[in-house]
Amino acid sequence: MIQVTNAVKRFDGFAALDGATLSVPAGSVYGLVGPNGAGKSTLIRCLTGIYRQDEGELTVDGQGVWENEALKCRIAAIADDWYYFPQASVRDMCRFLRGFYPTFSLERYEKLKEVFQIDERRPLRRLSKGMQKQAAFWLTLSAMPDYLVLDEPVDGLDPVMRRQVWSLVLGDVSQRGTTVLVSSHNLRELEDVCDHVGILDHGKVLLERSLAQLQDNMVKLQVVFKDGGGVPEDLEVLHASHVGRIHTLIMRMGAAEATNRLAVYEPMLVDAVPLTLEEIFIYELGGADYAVKDIVL
Amino acid sequence: MRSKTSYFNPALYKKNLTRFWPLWGGASVLGALAPLALLTVMLQSGGFGRRISTPLEFTLGYYSVVTWFLPALSLVYAALCALAAWGWLYNPRSAGMYHSLPITRKGLFATNFLSGLSMMLIPYAVTGALSVLVSAAAAGVDPAGLLVTILCVLGESLFFFASATLVVFITGNPFAFAAFYFIFHFLAAGAEWLAARLMSMFYFGVDRAYEGVLEFLSPVMFLTRKPSVDASYRQIVTPDGWIDNGVLESVTLVNGWYIAVYALAGLALLGCAWALYRRRRSESAGDVVAVGWMKPVFRYGVALCAAFTGGMVLYSIFCEGFQTRTTAGAAPMAACMAAAGVLGYYIASMLLSKSLRVFRGSWKGALATVLASAALCFAVAADPFGLEAWVPRAEEVQSLLFYTSGLNGNSLHSELTDPAAIQEVLEAHRAILAERDTLDRQRLPEKGYRHVWIILEYFRDGEDESAGRSYSIPCTPALIEQSEALRKLAALAVSPAVQEANIFSSVYGPDQTSRLTGGYLSRLYNPQTGESDSLDLTAEQAKVLEGAIRRDIQAGHFGKTMFLPDEDYDRAAYCGQLELYYSLTSLTGRWTGPRSVSVYLDLSVYSTETVKALESLGLTDETHRLLTCAERDAVEGRLPAGLENPYSFPAAGSIVYPEAAYVYPGESF
């Protein structure tokens, strides 16, 4: 479990993290979303031991990450600007990383070779950006970490490879119980893979929920009222819109409760439809004042 | 869960060495060229044993490399190795990758330091191993010399690489590293030089650019100058009495312990580097100065250096031409220093903030720089230590070096130990200072004025402690009449002690034996043919002339032409030059075998004893005449226009002797 409590990190007086608090349950895939400059990369660098937070606590399995070699053996990260030695090939980097990660598996490395289909002897600098990213996944997944920290991980990957990579990551989650913290500025990117989501803005975590919690707490219904009537005034809705006689209502409650509430108005049609992550966040955060629009656009 | 921490990571060490093999590999190849070249030369010169025949001679070679070459080489090479080992700190991406790896900073520090040190030592090891092989094949190995050499190489490598490592953690990019590293190694010497230059611009006679008081803080200079090689030779006397090439008996590295001290200092620097690394923020990659508290030090340090250097440059360009004295004015210098200091302050601010927009709100810092620069300038100009008026007490001076240039291209250079002569020089020095206001003048309205240089170097405790003054003072006929200082200088110029030291100090001394072997007399004029002739002198003739010269010295005949005006000089000075040859042998092993030295004497009509001796030896006669410069000019047709008759020579036997020819200033017939 990753626990961040009131983390503060300042750069020349500017607080990139300003009391961020979040909790990543073990075995979960946690999506950390936020606009550019929200502090996602800073938080990740703190979690991987690159930066030391000025205040607050960052622990993984109850231990501080800073200068904790044993713990860092269990954490592997792919930075948004993944670094490799200028002359190195994938194989060279493999040899290098094997010297650091006791769990690095050559067997896995060989298996993943078939997935990524990159010439392992070719210098990484000669590969395209997308292929370099693939190489980063190849090596990082071969390290068999308990914690995988990914910063904007699929930027530059084509859709097929994105699916492939996520499939591998989720495979590790389900088979080995790997905990994944993934940052992105795009909610849609994380929608299909995350079971927990946190929104970071101006160095603070504005909201964090499990996907189940979010979906249980909010419902989207399509309703047709009798005699073409409108939404009753006494009905509590977060948002209402209509196309012809079909009203679309967003309500902060479960689907069953919402259906019961509507039953008193004897609607001609009540149908619950799935909410996208984007919609949940927009309505949950009220849409205004927060940078949600930056996240979803 | 926290397990043991590893201080060394083999994968990282190996990666460092394999990544940068061209660096240490190339250096190894270049280093290997030296012993291989030596081997080739030895084979070409007819096999081993011809040029370097004993292990000690190899040791002498090793020590020479250690004292002359090793510090500068290590300085440069350590910078390259440090960039190889620590360059990742300067790139945010690579710094992020390294710090995210499962290794502590302690482990990173130790492993990278050892990697860099290995890169430094591998080429030395390769070169050393090849040298030992060549030595073993040629003459054998001197284990003690080899061990000392290895320790010196290890010590210097450790020190220079540790210093480079410290600078790595102070700076945030490779350009700043290179600048800081070399400044770090020359800062003390440079600061001393700047301070000395400023003082020499303010103080009359203080013209010392650099004395090396703080040189120990500029290790590469210190290690090049202080440790030295002391070789002693056993001399072989040949059957005919010559002392032939000696056999090297022992080689000692003098002051080698300094290297050990610097190695220990290297360990201390390493400790500082580790302390900085612990506090270093990864995000400082790319900054000029990576340590927060050092930023103001850098800002005001650059401002101060700029105030000194830029101030002096600005003064030279804009103010020096208006000077009425040889020394600088405090107020214009303060203005120049303040301007240059402010410039340095803003340049440093721009470098620190990586932006040109540094002016807003910076007036306090700029004002502080202006005030500090001006205060510093006035403080130096006030001469709080009395450097300008300093004259040593006679009992403080063990020996001194007295140099003065004459008005006609001649000069005196005497090292004096005689207390009476030292006292005379001190009095002349005091007289110069007493007439400072008269003598410290940039221009004189008088026609035909010239400056003469007087350099005084006082020694105490052998040659370990010295202090010097250097005066450029105007010299005109009127001033010679009026000035007590110039009169004392003229008296010094004819002093027997001064002349004896000037002429014979290079050939007679306690550390050498001298043998007069002959001589040469040049530019003797033959009126019958109109041509010049020269004569070789035998050892016997030279001996007779040496005696005559000594009599002239004792009579105060030499040096009388030093301060004569042009026309008088031309009439008194002979064009012909006497040269005496000596064969010297060192008694201390400073050199091997006999060494030839020549003593040149400018003769004049005052050197009567020598001129008489030349006549009595038959070296000068009707057909071999010594001509004065004026006579020579007449013969060569360089008489001033309007004079129709050529110069008429006195008849043989009626050579005009000085008393009749010229009255030396202050003398009478």
Side-chain angles (χ1 to χ4, degrees):
Chain A
M1 177 179 182
I2 298 172
Q3 182 66 47
V4 178
T5 312
N6 294 323
V8 175
K9 175 70 186 172
R10 295 187 190 88
F11 299 107
D12 292 328
F14 167 74
L17 288 181
D18 192 11
T21 299
L22 63 82
S23 178
V24 181
S28 66
V29 180
Y30 190 105
L32 186 63
V33 291
N36 294 331
K40 303 186 296 292
S41 295
T42 303
L43 182 61
I44 281 177
R45 283 175 192 150
C46 288
L47 278 171
T48 49
I50 299 170
Y51 293 165
R52 185 179 202 172
Q53 74 277 12
D54 297 325
E55 292 169 33
E57 241 184 27
L58 286 94
T59 59
V60 175
D61 279 354
Q63 299 175 68
V65 183
W66 180 255
E67 294 292 77
N68 189 337
E69 186 178 327
L71 183 61
K72 282 166 82 176
C73 284
R74 299 168 55 210
I75 303 171
I78 298 178
D80 56 342
D81 51 356
W82 184 66
Y83 177 81
Y84 51 85
F85 297 119
Q87 308 296 329
S89 62
V90 177
R91 174 174 270 204
D92 294 332
M93 290 302 291
C94 165
R95 280 197 209 103
F96 178 69
L97 292 172
R98 274 177 65 200
F100 289 90
Y101 291 94
T103 51
F104 196 98
S105 165
L106 273 181
E107 190 187 347
R108 184 98 196 269
Y109 174 83
E110 291 298 331
K111 278 184 185 167
L112 290 175
K113 192 189 287 185
E114 292 162 19
V115 176
F116 291 106
Q117 298 198 336
I118 297 170
D119 180 358
E120 62 178 335
R121 292 171 197 273
R122 203 169 161 199
L124 279 158
R125 65 191 159 84
R126 297 204 186 282
L127 301 179
S128 69
K129 188 185 169 193
M131 289 172 88
Q132 287 175 4
K133 205 74 164 190
Q134 289 181 44
F137 270 103
W138 182 358
L139 292 164
T140 307
L141 293 175
S142 300
M144 309 282 279
D146 292 338
Y147 290 89
L148 191 57
V149 181
L150 308 170
D151 192 2
E152 309 283 1
V154 290
D155 274 6
L157 293 181
D158 61 63
V160 175
M161 192 45 72
R162 280 181 192 211
R163 188 174 291 269
Q164 188 78 277
V165 160
W166 282 125
S167 157
L168 288 166
V169 171
L170 295 177
D172 273 9
V173 172
S174 60
Q175 289 163 25
R176 298 180 42 247
T178 305
T179 306
V180 181
L181 174 67
V182 52
S183 85
S184 176
H185 59 275
N186 193 332
L187 265 174
R188 286 174 193 146
E189 183 65 56
L190 302 179
E191 195 169 30
D192 300 331
V193 292
C194 294
D195 46 28
H196 285 73
V197 182
I199 292 188
L200 192 67
D201 189 37
H202 292 104
K204 289 189 174 77
V205 177
L206 302 178
L207 176 144
E208 63 169 341
R209 299 274 194 281
S210 72
L211 218 56
Q213 269 180 318
L214 288 169
Q215 283 163 348
D216 286 351
N217 284 341
M218 198 172 287
V219 65
K220 183 178 179 180
L221 299 164
Q222 289 186 325
V223 186
V224 178
F225 292 100
K226 267 186 180 174
D227 307 324
V231 180
E233 285 184 1
D234 57 341
L235 189 65
E236 284 182 23
V237 293
L238 285 172
H239 181 80
S241 61
H242 67 97
V243 177
R245 292 178 63 189
I246 303 173
H247 293 263
T248 304
L249 307 180
I250 310 287
M251 300 173 73
R252 193 191 292 278
M253 59 191 71
E257 188 184 348
T259 308
N260 287 339
R261 289 250 183 115
L262 284 168
V264 296
Y265 304 107
E266 297 177 345
M268 293 172 65
L269 171 72
V270 177
D271 187 20
V273 292
L275 273 162
T276 64
L277 200 54
E278 172 189 342
E279 287 170 315
I280 293 172
F281 275 102
I282 286 173
Y283 299 123
E284 187 73 40
L285 296 172
D289 298 329
Y290 299 113
V292 177
K293 62 180 182 297
D294 297 327
I295 303 168
V296 298
L297 291 177
Chain B
M1 182 70 187
R2 186 184 281 266
S3 68
K4 67 183 174 60
T5 303
S6 59
Y7 294 102
F8 180 77
N9 185 292
L12 179 57
Y13 179 81
K14 191 177 160 194
K15 189 72 196 170
N16 282 338
L17 288 188
T18 51
R19 274 183 77 197
F20 296 104
W21 71 264
L23 175 65
W24 54 263
S28 299
V29 169
L30 287 176
L33 291 177
L36 293 176
L38 178 65
L39 179 68
T40 310
V41 168
M42 290 169 74
L43 290 172
Q44 283 172 347
S45 64
F48 290 128
R50 290 285 296 274
R51 289 182 175 225
I52 300 177
S53 54
T54 66
L56 272 184
E57 280 167 340
F58 273 94
T59 301
L60 179 62
Y62 297 154
Y63 287 179
S64 300
V65 169
V66 165
T67 52
W68 285 101
F69 195 49
L70 190 63
L73 182 69
S74 298
L75 173 80
V76 175
Y77 189 54
L80 297 174
C81 291
L83 280 176
W86 300 109
W88 55 270
L89 278 166
Y90 293 152
N91 179 336
R93 285 175 63 209
S94 53
M97 189 275 271
Y98 274 86
H99 287 144
S100 68
L101 290 171
I103 179 171
T104 58
R105 275 155 174 77
K106 211 173 277 179
L108 278 175
F109 185 83
T111 308
N112 280 298
F113 180 79
L114 289 174
S115 310
L117 194 60
S118 302
M119 286 185 234
M120 272 215 79
L121 291 175
I122 288 170
Y124 287 134
V126 169
T127 309
L130 282 173
S131 301
V132 169
L133 284 176
V134 171
S135 160
V141 177
D142 168 28
L146 184 62
L147 181 64
V148 170
T149 307
I150 291 171
L151 289 175
C152 288
V153 170
L154 285 174
E156 290 203 16
S157 298
L158 174 66
F159 171 74
F160 282 105
F161 187 65
S163 68
T165 298
L166 176 64
V167 177
V168 161
F169 290 106
I170 292 171
T171 55
N173 68 59
F175 299 107
F177 165 78
F180 275 60
Y181 178 67
F182 288 104
I183 288 170
F184 174 76
H185 276 280
F186 294 99
L187 180 64
E192 187 189 332
W193 185 85
L194 286 174
R197 272 313 299 156
L198 189 64
M199 286 191 281
S200 71
M201 289 178 85
F202 280 131
Y203 306 155
F204 177 56
V206 180
D207 193 24
R208 298 295 297 272
Y210 178 72
E211 290 185 10
V213 177
L214 300 174
E215 199 170 75
F216 69 97
L217 292 173
S218 295
V220 70
M221 296 172 71
F222 191 83
L223 287 173
T224 306
R225 278 162 54 119
K226 282 289 175 181
S228 58
V229 188
D230 187 13
S232 66
Y233 291 85
R234 181 159 43 87
Q235 292 173 335
I236 302 165
V237 181
T238 58
D240 56 353
W242 284 80
I243 295 177
D244 205 352
N245 287 330
V247 174
L248 186 59
E249 271 198 329
S250 70
V251 182
T252 313
L253 184 68
V254 182
N255 291 331
W257 61 273
Y258 281 124
I259 298 172
V261 172
Y262 276 102
L264 290 175
L267 290 176
L269 295 180
L270 200 60
C272 296
W274 164 239
L276 287 179
Y277 183 37
R278 286 185 66 191
R279 298 173 61 85
R280 184 187 172 96
R281 293 171 154 232
S282 293
E283 60 268 27
S284 64
D287 289 355
V288 172
V289 179
V291 184
W293 61 266
M294 277 196 181
K295 290 181 179 178
V297 175
F298 172 76
R299 180 180 282 118
Y300 289 104
V302 169
L304 189 67
C305 288
F308 267 105
T309 44
M312 285 189 276
V313 169
L314 289 177
Y315 183 90
S316 301
I317 294 171
F318 298 109
C319 306
E320 205 167 67
F322 300 102
Q323 266 182 208
T324 54
R325 296 183 172 279
T326 57
T327 47
M333 178 66 87
C336 292
M337 282 180 66
V342 169
L343 186 68
Y345 172 82
Y346 280 115
I347 288 172
S349 300
M350 286 170 189
L351 287 171
L352 284 175
S353 62
K354 292 186 273 185
S355 165
L356 298 178
R357 296 177 182 178
V358 294
F359 298 103
R360 181 174 291 178
S362 64
W363 67 270
K364 284 181 189 168
L367 181 65
T369 304
V370 167
L371 294 176
S373 303
L376 196 66
C377 176
F378 284 114
V380 173
D383 190 10
F385 301 109
L387 292 177
E388 185 180 86
W390 174 82
V391 178
R393 295 191 307 276
E395 61 270 23
E396 289 179 320
V397 183
Q398 278 190 338
S399 65
L400 66 81
L401 205 66
F402 169 62
Y403 169 88
T404 180
S405 63
L407 287 178
N408 302 283
N410 42 8
S411 63
L412 268 177
H413 188 276
S414 305
E415 191 174 342
L416 304 172
T417 51
D418 174 40
I422 289 173
Q423 187 60 43
E424 278 183 67
V425 174
L426 291 174
E427 280 169 18
H429 189 177
R430 286 193 196 95
I432 291 171
L433 290 173
E435 294 174 33
R436 178 199 192 283
D437 289 339
T438 312
L439 299 177
D440 180 19
R441 291 164 72 178
Q442 187 79 306
R443 298 274 184 274
L444 283 172
E446 292 179 50
K447 184 186 171 191
Y449 88 93
R450 289 184 196 162
H451 277 82
V452 292
W453 275 100
I454 293 102
I455 299 174
L456 305 166
E457 184 84 29
Y458 299 106
F459 296 104
R460 190 165 63 179
D461 293 339
E463 293 200 355
D464 286 346
E465 272 188 61
S466 70
R469 292 292 180 268
S470 165
Y471 300 98
S472 169
I473 59 178
C475 188
T476 66
L479 264 180
I480 289 173
E481 292 297 323
Q482 299 159 12
S483 165
E484 177 70 15
L486 284 172
R487 274 205 297 278
K488 283 186 185 295
L489 283 173
L492 271 176
V494 298
S495 155
V498 171
Q499 283 295 343
E500 174 74 24
N502 178 50
I503 295 170
F504 290 119
S505 66
S506 63
V507 289
Y508 291 110
D511 298 337
Q512 61 198 28
T513 59
S514 312
R515 193 160 58 91
L516 193 53
T517 58
Y520 189 70
L521 186 61
S522 64
R523 302 193 75 182
L524 294 171
Y525 182 70
N526 186 339
Q528 293 169 3
T529 61
E531 291 179 351
S532 292
D533 202 0
S534 300
L535 293 173
D536 285 317
L537 309 179
T538 64
E540 289 71 26
Q541 289 171 326
K543 192 79 183 168
V544 172
L545 287 171
E546 191 192 61
I549 290 163
R550 286 192 189 281
R551 287 196 297 281
D552 271 331
I553 289 173
Q554 290 306 317
H557 292 162
F558 276 103
K560 283 194 168 185
T561 55
M562 287 287 293
F563 302 109
L564 290 181
D566 288 351
E567 288 179 5
D568 295 340
Y569 178 84
D570 285 351
R571 284 207 299 269
Y574 285 125
C575 289
Q577 195 176 50
L578 179 60
E579 189 178 347
L580 297 180
Y581 302 146
Y582 292 84
S583 173
L584 309 183
T585 305
S586 172
L587 298 175
T588 58
R590 277 180 66 197
W591 68 85
T592 56
R595 175 183 281 182
S596 295
V597 172
S598 295
V599 169
Y600 297 90
L601 291 118
D602 291 317
L603 300 175
S604 73
V605 293
Y606 301 115
S607 45
T608 51
E609 295 294 330
T610 311
V611 172
K612 275 180 191 168
L614 286 170
E615 275 182 359
S616 65
L617 288 169
L619 296 169
T620 55
D621 54 24
E622 279 298 306
T623 55
H624 294 89
R625 290 182 159 215
L626 279 170
L627 298 189
T628 63
C629 294
E631 289 168 337
R632 171 67 59 179
D633 286 347
V635 165
E636 292 176 357
R638 291 204 295 259
L639 270 181
L643 288 180
E644 295 170 359
N645 296 327
Y647 198 91
S648 62
F649 297 104
S654 64
I655 290 173
V656 180
Y657 284 125
E659 285 77 11
Y662 184 74
V663 180
Y664 192 71
E667 290 183 350
S668 58
F669 281 110

